[in-house]
């Protein structure tokens, strides 16, 4: 391709100028792609964190800043009442956490103990043994399931720990299962304690009196969570005899929505940065292309005199602009991906353990789009100007 | 060669418009140049010889009149059609050589063929052949700044010849050259003439014009004399 050869020769003849011309594009594309990569890994990290939470679960707890806070407190008896009157609820359990000094063999460590129902709220896969079942809950048995963290600390020797006992404070539990390691995400979200026991056992061993911190529910149909949340709130107001009592709910969809909003805002900002850098870089490129056309007026005259058509001159300068823009975008892409991958590696992966793939394809797509848009928007006019020069005037140009 | 003339100009008039002001430059030129002629166009500055050269070179259109180049009426062609005519039927040699810098001789010579859409291998073969004709085959890979003025002009002549034009147009081809080199270039033109090439040269230098076989003299936009040079 002679057009490419010539364009390349012209650009290489003015190396510094070419480089300075595309600096704006390099920075703009680099920034946009770096942020794009970061956004993708953050979103991936959050999704990884939320992955451990069952889609069809929600939690409810009283709003602590209300006048009748004590009146609003959820009681153990509420759970059964709600399960009976609100349709679509599969199971209910209290929320809670209790920090205990845990001993297994010679190992001693502090861990949180929390209640779990059957079916479980956490959907982490099982590595050893089994998860809690309905019999464990019904019978309030002294069994526990270990998180991967707890398993690694308490059983440093490895191997299948099921059947072995551990002591949390004064209580003895038999290990029946070990959960897989969660993808925790950069928010370091934790949805359950290190050691989970049947919620009935938890109530027996750690809950004093009738009041509980909050309640969690599993529903049959995840899409009906909003309605179910309202029904449960109303039922609690009924049970506690106060129309103004306030309860807060949380579920995966709500959380995802909130996080999604943050990323939408981020995307918008990135888009704005992109647009501004595109404009600034484009103006710089257009300026240099116009200078190039002016400098080579005579050459354009000669080309026309020997028979080049306007379209051929236009194409030549257009290719030159395209080469400038695509070089700038390619360098920007490399820098952006490098920077994004570096930050991803240092902050996201090291801090959260979540490995999110770099969006190569998307980033390359963005860079190509930038190159095409800038070339079309800012390379066309100089090329047109070159093509429409009068050959006689151009030949006379000194 | 056919029996048509290479160039036929019938009552060519050219008027430049400068705002409301109309500046007539050519007042009605009638001339014809047969195939194989070697003609010099002379005249003092302001005589209209450059304007006539631009018209003959299809870089410009006459205000009125008919111009037939190698059997084609080019009087009313549009810009792209004129470019096509320049590409196929004309070869230009300029005073200032006008080679592409940083581009070797063979690529400079092959440039018209590129615009004609000829593939690279054929372009190079053809370019090498014309470089041979002008005696510069051994300088094919040299860039303009590695060539002397005379050599650069030879490359430019090779470029003008590569499309085997009906007419070779030379605008003060020796204007930038010393006497010795000028003689070499004029000898080259003579050789091309002897091989049957039609040449039209614009010059203000009597010495140079005398090398042509026929001289057309212009004054104030009209032909004042047209006859053999005596060479």
């Amino acid at each position: 391709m002679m057009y490419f050869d010539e364009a390349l020769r012209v650009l290489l003849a003015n190396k510094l100028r070419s480089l300075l011309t595309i600096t704006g594009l390099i920075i703009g594309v680099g920034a946009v792609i770096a942020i794009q990569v970061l956004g993708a890994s953050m979103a991936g990290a959050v999704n990884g964190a939320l992955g451990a939470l069952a889609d069809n679960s929600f939690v409810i707890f009283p709003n602590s800043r209300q006048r009748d806070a004590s009146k609003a407190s959820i009681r153990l008896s509420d759970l059964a009442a709600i399960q009976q009157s609100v349709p679509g609820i599969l199971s209910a359990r209290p929320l809670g956490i209790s920090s205990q000094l845990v001993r297994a063999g010679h190992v001693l460590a502090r861990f949180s103990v929390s209640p779990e129902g059957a079916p479980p709220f956490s959907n982490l896969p099982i590595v050893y043994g089994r998860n809690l079942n309905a019999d464990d809950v019904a019978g309030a048995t002294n069994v526990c399931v270990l998180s991967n963290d707890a398993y690694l600390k308490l059983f440093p020797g490895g191997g299948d720990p099921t059947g072995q006992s551990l002591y949390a404070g004064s209580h003895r539990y038999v290990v029946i299962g070990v959960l897989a390691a969660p993808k925790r995400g950069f928010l370091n979200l934790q949805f359950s304690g290190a050691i989970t026991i049947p919620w009935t056992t938890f109530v027996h061993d750690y809950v004093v009196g009738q009041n509980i911190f909050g309640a969690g529910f599993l529903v049959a149909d995840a899409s009906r969570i909003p309605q179910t949340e309202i029904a449960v709130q109303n039922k609690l107001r009924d049970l506690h005899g106060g129309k103004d009592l306030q309860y807060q709910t949380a579920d995966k969809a709500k959380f995802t929505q909130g996080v999604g909003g943050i990323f939408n805002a981020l995307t918008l900002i990135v888009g704005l940065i992109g647009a501004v850098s595109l404009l600034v870089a484009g103006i710089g490129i257009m300026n240099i292309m116009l200078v190039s056309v002016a400098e080579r007026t005579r050459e354009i005259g000669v080309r026309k005199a020997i028979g080049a058509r306007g379209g051929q001159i236009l194409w030549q300068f257009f290719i030159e602009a395209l080469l400038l823009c695509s070089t700038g975008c390619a360098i920007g892409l490399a820098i952006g991906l490098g920077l994004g991958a570096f930050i991803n590696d240092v902050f996201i992966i090291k801090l959260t353990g979540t490995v999110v793939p770099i969006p190569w394809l998307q980033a390359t797509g963005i860079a190509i789009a930038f190159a095409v848009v800038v070339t079309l928007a800012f390379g066309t006019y100089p090329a047109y100007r070159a093509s429409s020069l009068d050959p006689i005037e151009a030949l006379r140009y000194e | 060669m056919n029996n048509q003339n290479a160039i036929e100009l019938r009552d060519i008039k050219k008027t430049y418009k400068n705002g409301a002001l109309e500046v007539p430059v050519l007042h009605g030129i009638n001339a014809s140049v047969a195939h194989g002629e070697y003609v010099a166009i002379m005249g003092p500055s302001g005589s209209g010889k450059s304007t006539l050269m631009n018209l003959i070179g299809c870089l410009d259109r006459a205000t009125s009149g008919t111009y037939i180049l190698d059997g084609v009426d080019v009087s009313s062609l549009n810009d792209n059609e004129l470019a096509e005519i320049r590409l196929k039927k004309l070869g230009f040699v300029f005073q200032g050589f006008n080679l592409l810098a940083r581009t070797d001789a063979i690529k400079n010579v092959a440039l018209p063929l590129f615009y004609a859409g000829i593939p690279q291998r054929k372009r190079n073969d053809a370019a090498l052949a014309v470089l041979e004709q002008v005696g510069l085959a051994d300088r094919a890979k040299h860039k303009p700044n590695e060539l002397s003025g005379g050599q650069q002009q030879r490359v430019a002549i090779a470029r003008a010849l590569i499309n085997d034009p009906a007419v070779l147009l030379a605008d003060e081809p020796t204007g930038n050259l010393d006497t010795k080199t000028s003689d070499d270039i004029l000898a080259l033109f003579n050789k091309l003439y002897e091989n049957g090439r039609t040449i039209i040269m614009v010059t203000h230098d009597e010495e140079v014009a005398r090398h042509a076989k026929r001289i057309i003299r212009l004054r104030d936009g009209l032909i004042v004399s047209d006859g053999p040079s005596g060479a």
Side-chain angles (χ1 to χ4, degrees):
Chain A
M1 271 306 287
M2 186 150 164
Y3 286 119
F4 273 104
D5 292 353
E6 291 217 13
L8 199 62
R9 198 176 53 242
V10 168
L11 295 178
L12 288 179
N14 297 300
K15 283 191 200 72
L16 183 62
R17 182 161 98 180
S18 302
L19 192 69
L20 290 176
T21 306
I22 58 175
T23 307
L25 209 51
I26 293 175
I27 294 173
V29 172
V32 167
I33 285 176
I35 295 171
Q36 187 71 32
V37 171
L38 275 187
S41 31
M42 283 189 190
V46 170
N47 280 338
L50 291 175
L53 196 64
D55 288 339
N56 61 334
S57 70
F58 71 90
V59 296
I60 187 164
F61 41 90
N63 198 331
S64 57
R65 291 191 176 178
Q66 55 183 320
R67 213 146 35 95
D68 293 328
S70 61
K71 193 177 172 189
S73 284
I74 299 174
R75 292 187 296 266
L76 270 174
S77 56
D78 294 340
L79 295 182
I82 289 168
Q83 240 177 316
Q84 269 167 15
S85 65
V86 179
I89 289 184
L90 292 181
S91 73
R93 66 167 172 91
L95 295 181
I97 199 151
S98 176
S99 179
Q100 296 291 333
L101 209 53
V102 178
R103 182 169 67 80
H106 300 295
V107 185
L108 198 63
R110 186 161 282 279
F111 280 112
S112 57
V113 177
S114 64
E116 179 61 289
F121 282 52
S122 159
N123 58 11
L124 283 174
I126 286 284
V127 189
Y128 291 116
R130 63 172 177 86
N131 219 326
L132 299 172
N133 62 25
D135 290 341
D136 298 322
V137 175
T141 55
N142 289 322
V143 294
C144 71
V145 173
L146 300 180
S147 73
N148 212 266
D149 270 359
Y151 162 66
L152 292 175
K153 281 219 181 83
L154 293 170
F155 298 94
D160 186 350
T162 54
Q164 301 195 45
S165 293
L166 57 76
Y167 294 85
S170 55
H171 306 285
R172 187 176 77 94
Y173 304 110
V174 176
V175 177
I176 57 162
V178 176
L179 296 173
K183 290 174 176 171
R184 209 168 277 133
F186 76 110
L187 295 173
N188 205 17
L189 296 163
Q190 268 182 308
F191 295 101
S192 58
I195 296 167
T196 49
I197 57 176
W199 71 264
T200 44
T201 314
F202 185 87
V203 167
H204 179 268
D205 290 351
Y206 303 105
V207 176
V208 181
Q210 278 295 302
N211 288 347
I212 51 176
F213 161 69
F217 299 91
L218 275 187
V219 298
D221 183 0
S223 69
R224 289 190 53 80
I225 283 180
Q227 294 93 311
T228 314
E229 283 174 352
I230 290 168
V232 170
Q233 283 171 330
N234 287 336
K235 182 68 188 169
L236 281 170
R237 290 188 189 108
D238 260 12
L239 290 166
H240 293 253
K243 285 250 176 281
D244 305 327
L245 298 177
Q246 291 164 11
Y247 294 94
Q248 284 182 343
T249 59
D251 57 66
K252 194 170 175 176
K254 238 183 220 169
F255 199 85
T256 309
Q257 236 170 29
V259 173
I262 295 170
F263 284 119
N264 283 344
L266 191 69
T267 308
L268 189 71
I269 293 167
V270 172
L272 278 176
I273 295 173
V276 171
S277 69
L278 206 81
L279 188 70
V280 173
I283 290 169
I285 284 167
M286 186 156 164
N287 183 39
I288 279 305
M289 287 304 298
L290 286 173
V291 168
S292 178
V293 170
E295 278 178 350
R296 286 151 67 197
T297 300
R298 206 181 162 81
E299 177 200 315
I300 295 165
V302 174
R303 287 174 184 275
K304 286 201 150 183
I306 65 173
R309 275 178 277 119
Q312 292 173 315
I313 301 287
L314 182 113
W315 193 236
Q316 182 193 337
F317 280 88
F318 191 75
I319 293 284
E320 209 174 301
L322 183 67
L323 209 58
L324 264 182
C325 291
S326 39
T327 307
C329 289
I331 298 174
L333 174 68
I335 292 177
L337 282 176
L339 204 66
F342 174 74
I343 298 176
N344 183 48
D345 194 45
V346 169
F347 293 102
I348 308 282
I349 295 178
K350 292 256 165 66
L351 289 185
T352 69
T354 306
V355 179
V356 181
I358 303 283
W360 302 102
L361 216 62
Q362 201 185 358
T364 310
I366 291 173
I368 291 174
F370 262 70
V372 169
V373 168
V374 174
T375 307
L376 284 175
F378 299 98
T380 309
Y381 175 66
Y384 167 75
R385 207 153 120 160
S387 73
S388 56
L389 281 176
D390 174 22
I392 298 170
E393 293 289 324
L395 276 170
R396 214 177 281 152
Y397 187 86
E398 288 298 326
Chain B
M1 287 296 147
N2 51 33
N3 294 327
Q4 288 166 326
N5 284 325
I7 284 173
E8 234 177 285
L9 301 168
R10 291 182 205 140
D11 198 23
I12 293 286
K13 290 181 181 165
K14 180 70 185 176
T15 303
Y16 287 109
K17 275 191 186 142
N18 197 349
L21 195 69
E22 294 204 340
V23 185
V25 180
L26 297 177
H27 296 282
I29 301 285
N30 286 289
S32 56
V33 175
H35 284 292
E37 273 200 279
Y38 183 5
V39 181
I41 297 175
M42 292 204 69
S45 60
S47 61
K49 65 178 192 298
S50 294
T51 303
L52 183 59
M53 185 73 174
N54 288 337
L55 287 175
I56 294 174
C58 290
L59 291 166
D60 204 355
R61 273 176 291 260
T63 311
S64 71
T66 306
Y67 171 23
I68 293 165
L69 170 63
D70 196 26
V72 179
D73 185 349
V74 298
S75 314
S76 55
L77 298 184
N78 67 26
D79 285 353
N80 273 342
E81 290 164 338
L82 284 181
E84 185 87 9
I85 293 288
R86 293 197 294 272
L87 188 62
K88 299 234 167 106
K89 293 191 182 291
L90 294 167
F92 283 89
V93 178
F94 306 94
Q95 177 175 357
F97 321 140
N98 282 337
L99 299 176
L100 298 187
R102 295 182 291 270
T103 306
D104 58 24
I106 195 163
K107 279 215 178 93
N108 262 295
V109 172
L111 191 60
L113 297 188
F114 165 69
Y115 288 123
I118 311 266
Q120 177 161 18
R121 175 168 294 213
K122 277 192 176 174
R123 292 206 299 266
N124 282 353
D125 291 350
L128 212 56
V130 267
L131 277 172
E132 188 93 48
Q133 269 185 57
V134 300
L136 274 182
D138 56 332
R139 298 283 195 275
K141 288 287 169 193
H142 288 230
K143 291 180 177 144
N145 59 356
E146 298 160 351
L147 297 169
S148 71
Q151 287 170 332
Q152 286 186 54
Q153 193 61 303
R154 279 166 190 273
V155 173
I157 291 168
R159 180 176 66 187
L161 290 175
I162 195 164
N163 55 352
D164 190 24
V167 177
L168 180 65
L169 288 169
D171 188 358
E172 302 279 8
T174 58
N176 281 12
L177 302 172
D178 59 47
T179 320
K180 166 79 179 65
T181 319
S182 293
D183 289 344
D184 289 348
I185 294 295
L186 289 168
L188 177 58
F189 276 127
N190 209 49
K191 192 182 108 189
L192 294 173
Y193 161 70
E194 278 164 4
N195 290 341
R197 186 68 61 192
T198 312
I199 304 171
I200 297 178
M201 177 167 71
V202 168
T203 182
H204 67 275
D205 187 336
E206 290 284 349
E207 277 289 307
V208 171
R210 213 169 295 147
H211 285 80
K213 308 304 161 193
R214 172 182 163 196
I215 299 180
I216 295 174
R217 289 176 200 275
L218 288 182
R219 184 177 288 270
D220 298 330
L222 282 170
I223 294 177
V224 289
S225 80
D226 183 351
S229 67

